Amino acid sequence: MDVKIWTLDPMKLAYVEHIGPYTEVGQAWEKLASWAGPKGLFNEGTKFLGVYYDNPEEVPAEKLRSEACITVEKEFSGSGAIKFKNVAGGRYAVTVHLGPYELLVDSWMEFYMKWLPESGEECSEEPCYEQYMNNPQTTKPEHLVTLLLMPLK
């Protein structure tokens, strides 16, 4: 596993929460896209990030918590299901997952169970992120590129 240590800049995120199976988080992405698209918020600098708070081997599927997120420059009032938060940035271990989203769990397990204990690093209490580098609607699953971002102490 090729892992780099990056210092990430702070980000402001617009997001939609999802509670339920991670395989159904697409519903949150649809809500986010239908809000952001008409506002013209998608551009070359927009980052698409997923946050998955729970280990699906320990938490029942109907209680799994996740968020579909995009970077934004400012908050908007009256945004309904859309929420906003600031991410402080800082040190992150970063690796690349190539291929279908269904196999991301394997990359996360290797990241946590193999790389982290051998690295001498310690994960912070902040959530991990997945940054989606290409569009799953126009990219074959085997060509998808996802950055796995693990916050470090």
Side-chain angles (χ1 to χ4, degrees), residues 8-29:
L8 297 184
D9 292 332
M11 299 179 282
K12 179 177 288 297
L13 300 179
Y15 68 99
V16 173
E17 295 175 312
H18 173 75
I19 297 178
Y22 287 158
T23 55
E24 297 174 5
V25 74
Q27 299 165 10
W29 283 106

Side-chain angles (χ1 to χ4, degrees), residues 57-115:
E57 294 181 7
E58 297 174 0
V59 176
E62 67 275 5
K63 294 185 178 185
L64 293 171
R65 300 168 299 137
S66 58
E67 297 167 353
C69 314
I70 60 168
T71 54
V72 293
E73 297 295 319
K74 61 178 182 155
E75 292 185 22
F76 296 82
S77 60
S79 298
I82 310 301
K83 298 182 179 183
F84 299 91
K85 66 179 171 181
N86 293 309
V87 176
R91 289 181 70 238
Y92 281 76
V94 182
T95 193
V96 177
H97 169 84
L98 300 173
Y101 294 152
E102 292 79 21
L103 300 179
L104 277 162
V105 67
D106 297 334
S107 293
W108 277 114
M109 291 302 287
E110 183 178 352
F111 207 6
Y112 267 105
M113 306 307 269
K114 188 173 187 321
W115 179 83

Side-chain angles (χ1 to χ4, degrees), residues 6 10 23 35 44 48 52 54 61 63 66 87 95 110 125 138:
W6 291 358
T23 55
W35 170 82
E44 306 86 38
F48 297 82
Y52 300 88
D54 302 304
K63 294 185 178 185
S66 58
V87 176
T95 193
E110 183 178 352
E125 298 299 318
T138 58

